[in-house]
């Protein structure tokens, strides 16, 4: 029997087709204040992929988060077939909710071909099975967290994470702006590369913005901290499975003007670089009572 949490995520990513280029998706409340950005990314990529020849594989996407999404309402994805060339296809996806655009995304698809290859090496880190499977906060600390945030912090989601250097999000300390996190889907799923790319798009939104807060001892759990994804880029380099251990090596080269930039590289446990990410996010410290 498959895990119901994984089944729910796969159903969210498959979408309902309303017209040739029009799709509708539901949302899952995972404890974030608004719809999780990775969900919208994964659904937008899924919508685009359904309008492309399966022989063409997604190799990049670039998205802007324009408005916060409402967890209680469906999201409509309108796909524009921008171009189908000899080797590449391009798609533009607009995510709409309550009559307003919440995300704009472009994605490019490529017919696989051979060529020059190189990659950065994977960081030297412990293997995932050598790391403890620990909660982000202790049980006593979890009692202090609002009910909605508890859903974000519990270990019952579709992905399992193991941090090479765990950080207490309720009592963060200053540390360098980088982290390494192993992650994988908690259950085996079909051998479908399209599905695994959508799952990776979903998971790629974890940890990036958080890395930008490390030098400042800030955390999204602090009541005076407001954080949100502003944009997101993802490049797929090589085949992978989202249900096998992947290492997310994240770093933040800069934070300024209440914005932080983070970059990430995703490796298989054998050291193969399968994807790269970049994201800028809002990190705003507000006075008590501000929104």
């Amino acid at each position: 029997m498959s895990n119901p949490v994984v089944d729910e995520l796969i159903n969210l990513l498959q979408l309902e087709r309303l017209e040739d280029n029009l799709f509708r998706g539901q949302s899952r409340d995972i404890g974030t204040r608004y719809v999780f950005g990775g969900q919208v990314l994964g659904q937008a990529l899924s919508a685009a992929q359904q309008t492309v020849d399966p022989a063409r594989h997604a190799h990049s996407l670039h998205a802007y988060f324009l408005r916060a999404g409402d967890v209680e309402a469906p999201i409509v994805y309108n796909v524009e077939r921008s171009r189908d060339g000899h080797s590449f296809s391009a798609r533009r996806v607009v995510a709409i909710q309550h009559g307003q655009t919440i995300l704009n995304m472009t994605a490019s698809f490529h017919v696989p071909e051979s060529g020059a290859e190189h990659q950065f090496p994977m960081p030297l880190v412990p293997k995932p099975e050598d790391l403890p499977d620990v909660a982000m906060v202790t049980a006593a600390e979890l009692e202090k967290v609002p009910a909605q945030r508890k859903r974000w912090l519990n270990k019952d989601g579709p992905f399992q994470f193991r941090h090479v250097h765990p950080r207490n999000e309720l009592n963060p300390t200053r540390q360098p702006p980088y982290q390494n996190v192993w992650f994988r889907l908690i259950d085996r799923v079909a051998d479908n590369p399209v599905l695994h790319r959508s799952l990776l798009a979903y998971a790629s939104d974890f940890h990036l913005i958080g890395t930008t807060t490390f030098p400042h001892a800030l955390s999204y759990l602090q009541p005076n901290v407001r954080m949100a994804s502003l944009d997101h880029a993802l490049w797929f380099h090589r085949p992978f499975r989202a249900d096998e251990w992947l290492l997310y090596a994240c770093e933040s080269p800069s934070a300024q003007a209440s914005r932080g930039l983070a970059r990430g590289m995703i490796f298989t446990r054998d050291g193969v670089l399968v994807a790269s990410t970049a994201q800028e996010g809002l990190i705003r410290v507000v006075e008590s009572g501000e929104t």
Side-chain angles (χ1 to χ4, degrees):
M1 296 291 290
S2 57
N3 190 296
V5 178
V6 173
D7 287 343
E8 180 186 28
L9 176 56
I10 291 174
N11 289 333
L12 285 176
L13 294 174
Q14 288 178 338
L15 305 177
E16 174 190 1
R17 194 163 201 155
L18 303 176
E19 261 288 355
D20 286 350
N21 301 318
L22 203 62
F23 303 83
R24 179 165 55 202
Q26 304 301 321
S27 295
R28 178 176 183 264
D29 184 356
I30 64 170
T32 51
R33 190 175 181 184
Y34 302 106
V35 173
F36 176 53
Q39 176 202 300
V40 186
L41 277 177
Q43 289 180 329
L45 178 58
S46 175
Q49 287 178 322
Q50 293 184 54
T51 69
V52 175
D53 183 337
R56 300 186 176 210
H57 301 170
H59 71 89
S60 69
L61 63 83
H62 301 264
Y64 279 95
F65 297 96
L66 304 180
R67 292 179 177 85
D70 178 1
V71 177
E72 302 299 327
I75 303 172
V76 173
Y77 296 89
N78 186 14
V79 182
E80 175 189 291
R81 304 188 187 217
S82 304
R83 181 175 185 269
D84 286 305
H86 179 70
S87 304
F88 289 88
S89 291
R91 296 293 184 265
R92 178 174 178 265
V93 184
V94 179
I96 303 166
Q97 194 175 55
H98 301 308
Q100 295 184 311
T101 300
I102 65 170
L103 173 133
N104 277 332
M105 187 189 84
T106 56
S108 184
F109 302 79
H110 183 208
V111 176
E113 55 185 285
S114 59
E117 285 212 17
H118 74 273
Q119 67 159 77
F120 275 7
M122 184 174 75
L124 296 175
V125 297
K127 297 177 180 178
E129 58 267 22
D130 296 332
L131 294 170
D133 186 14
V134 297
M136 296 174 69
V137 299
T138 66
E141 291 172 325
L142 193 62
E143 291 303 313
K144 307 173 187 177
V145 177
Q148 185 184 36
R149 291 292 188 179
K150 287 180 181 178
R151 289 195 292 275
W152 174 263
L153 292 170
N154 71 29
K155 297 167 63 178
D156 299 326
F159 282 92
Q160 179 181 15
F161 300 98
R162 293 193 179 176
H163 295 251
V164 174
H165 299 291
R167 183 174 89 140
N168 187 322
E169 294 293 342
L170 285 177
N171 297 289
T173 58
R174 296 182 187 273
Q175 61 189 71
Y178 60 83
Q179 64 173 325
N180 293 294
V181 184
W182 289 102
F183 70 98
R184 69 175 176 184
L185 201 67
I186 61 174
D187 201 1
R188 196 77 174 176
V189 295
D191 186 14
N192 179 350
V194 170
L195 171 62
H196 286 269
R197 284 192 288 270
S198 292
L199 288 166
L200 189 67
Y202 178 95
S204 69
D205 197 35
F206 288 103
H207 308 302
L208 275 177
I209 293 182
T211 308
T212 68
T213 68
F214 282 16
H216 314 287
L218 296 174
S219 166
Y220 60 89
L221 289 179
Q222 294 170 323
N224 65 328
V225 175
R226 302 288 182 268
M227 296 174 61
S229 303
L230 297 175
D231 61 13
H232 192 104
L234 172 59
W235 296 266
F236 299 103
H237 307 311
R238 298 173 179 88
F240 63 91
R241 293 189 64 94
D243 53 10
E244 295 180 352
W245 283 115
L246 298 168
L247 179 71
Y248 207 170
C250 302
E251 63 178 6
S252 175
S254 180
Q256 69 296 310
S258 294
R259 303 189 317 274
L261 175 66
R263 304 180 300 206
M265 293 187 292
I266 301 175
F267 298 86
T268 67
R269 63 180 298 134
D270 297 325
V272 177
L273 179 62
V274 298
S276 297
T277 61
Q279 184 180 84
E280 189 174 47
L282 175 72
I283 317 166
R284 182 177 288 156
V285 181
V286 302
E287 297 295 331
S288 179
E290 289 185 32
T291 58

